Amino acid sequence: MTVVWINGAFSAGKTSAARELIDLIPNSTFYDPELTGGGLRYLLPQKKLAEVTDFQDLPIWRRLVVDTAAALLAEVGGVLVVPMTLLRQEYRDEIFGGLASRRIPVRHVLLSPEETILRQRIADRVEADEDPERSEQVRQWAYEHIGPYRSALDWITGDAHTIDNSALTPRETAVRIAEAVHSGAAPACGIVQTPDPTAETVAAGVLLFDEEGRVLLVDPTYKPGWEFPGGVVESGEAPAQAGIREVAEEIGIRLEQVPRLLVIDWEAPEPPGFGGLRLIFDGGLLPGRDAERLVLPGSELRGWRFVTEAEAATMLPPTRYERLRWALRAREKSAVFNLEAGVPVG
């Protein structure tokens, strides 16, 4: 099972090429995530819909895209052809990472016609013959997204196989895509993610500090928001050792001492997550010479930064930031805090 994801600007020819492609790749099925977005207009309260201008900004849409793709492949097998514009890297990472967690590789293809050709296609686009106003709204939407598309090209071209379809028909474009998939020119993306948990988990995070007292945060490819180095504790593994292992795996730094426990927190189950115990450890000082040796696995982390507490407030999701606040307080007082109870331990 695999997914061929066709990316590109609005009106780049993704859907037309995708419909041709299913005739060229045996046992392939067409799936348009825009249908999922349209369905949400009937499922979500208007108040919720009013919070966003694009259904891609709804977390439920991104989850449903992954779940629907996985369900379709479980039902029909083979190859799923998905024409969908993705201009935000974190959304690409979240969706592709979610598919990877289900052991579904994604082959990412970018259709990139010349801008003059793209603008002409937008001008010629008719969304509904009986509704000229609706067609004009769609054309305006497409024009407005040319700028964001250009801005996103740096990261899109980093892992997508690019096809200039300026002078190609949809059929010819599909032939190029099929050839790229068959030859391996469009390889599976390197984004990976561990399988989603099926029950409560124990996770260990490790705080590392520079000489200025700033804390190290990493930017995962497979979920939104920054995070501390760390991960899920494996069966039979001591949480502190899990923290040591995760730091070595994620950033290439081996801690010489067992980190000290700072915070114990219980994360309540909140679908689609199962929650569980969250432990935060003090990994101590990471001198500048060691930070220079820091190596990121590109498939899991795309960046790292030392930040102040104030900066962390703008980067971490609220729950993680709250754990950081309590961890810093515990570090100052040399105590261990139980967030669930709101009291020091021992």
Side-chain angles (χ1 to χ4, degrees), residues 4-18:
V4 176
W5 193 287
I6 305 176
N7 203 350
F10 297 99
S11 298
K14 302 180 299 298
T15 301
S16 299

Side-chain angles (χ1 to χ4, degrees), residues 13 16 37 43 61 92 98-99 113 148 161 167 170 191 196 213 256-257 261 315 345:
S16 299
L43 297 174
W61 177 80
R92 183 281 312 261
L99 291 167
H161 175 74
I191 296 174
D196 290 336
E256 297 180 357
Q257 296 182 338
L261 181 63
M315 300 166 65
V345 177

Side-chain angles (χ1 to χ4, degrees), residues 181-193:
V181 171
H182 179 72
S183 68
C189 290
I191 296 174
V192 299
Q193 185 180 26

Side-chain angles (χ1 to χ4, degrees), residues 157-187:
T157 54
D159 67 7
H161 175 74
T162 302
I163 295 175
D164 182 348
N165 63 327
S166 301
L168 302 178
T169 66
R171 184 70 175 188
E172 291 168 338
T173 303
V175 169
R176 295 282 185 89
I177 298 173
E179 290 173 347
V181 171
H182 179 72
S183 68

Side-chain angles (χ1 to χ4, degrees), residues 121-140:
R121 291 178 181 176
I122 294 173
D124 295 340
R125 180 167 179 165
V126 177
E127 191 72 13
D129 291 328
E130 71 284 357
D131 191 351
E133 184 177 345
R134 170 61 179 161
S135 294
E136 181 56 32
Q137 289 174 346
V138 172
R139 286 192 289 268
Q140 188 59 38

Side-chain angles (χ1 to χ4, degrees), residues 79-97:
V79 177
L80 202 63
V81 177
V82 183
M84 192 70 215
T85 299
L86 285 177
L87 301 183
R88 296 187 59 169
Q89 187 176 17
E90 63 268 31
Y91 293 175
R92 183 281 312 261
D93 294 342
E94 185 178 346
I95 292 171
F96 288 13

Side-chain angles (χ1 to χ4, degrees), residues 33-74:
E34 190 167 342
L35 298 175
T36 303
L40 290 175
R41 296 189 180 97
Y42 301 97
L43 297 174
L44 290 176
Q46 287 301 313
K47 181 179 179 181
K48 187 69 176 178
L49 293 171
E51 294 176 359
V52 302
T53 57
D54 187 336
F55 57 71
Q56 292 196 10
D57 295 331
L58 294 166
I60 188 175
W61 177 80
R62 302 191 295 275
R63 291 198 297 269
L64 284 175
V65 168
V66 174
D67 292 342
T68 303
L72 276 170
L73 286 172

Side-chain angles (χ1 to χ4, degrees), residues 310-339:
E311 290 171 329
T314 66
M315 300 166 65
L316 291 171
T319 302
R320 293 177 210 160
Y321 174 64
E322 190 67 14
R323 289 185 193 127
L324 174 64
R325 288 183 59 249
W326 281 85
L328 295 176
R329 180 179 171 186
R331 193 169 190 258
E332 292 172 356
K333 295 180 176 294
S334 298
V336 177
F337 277 84
N338 184 328
L339 261 66

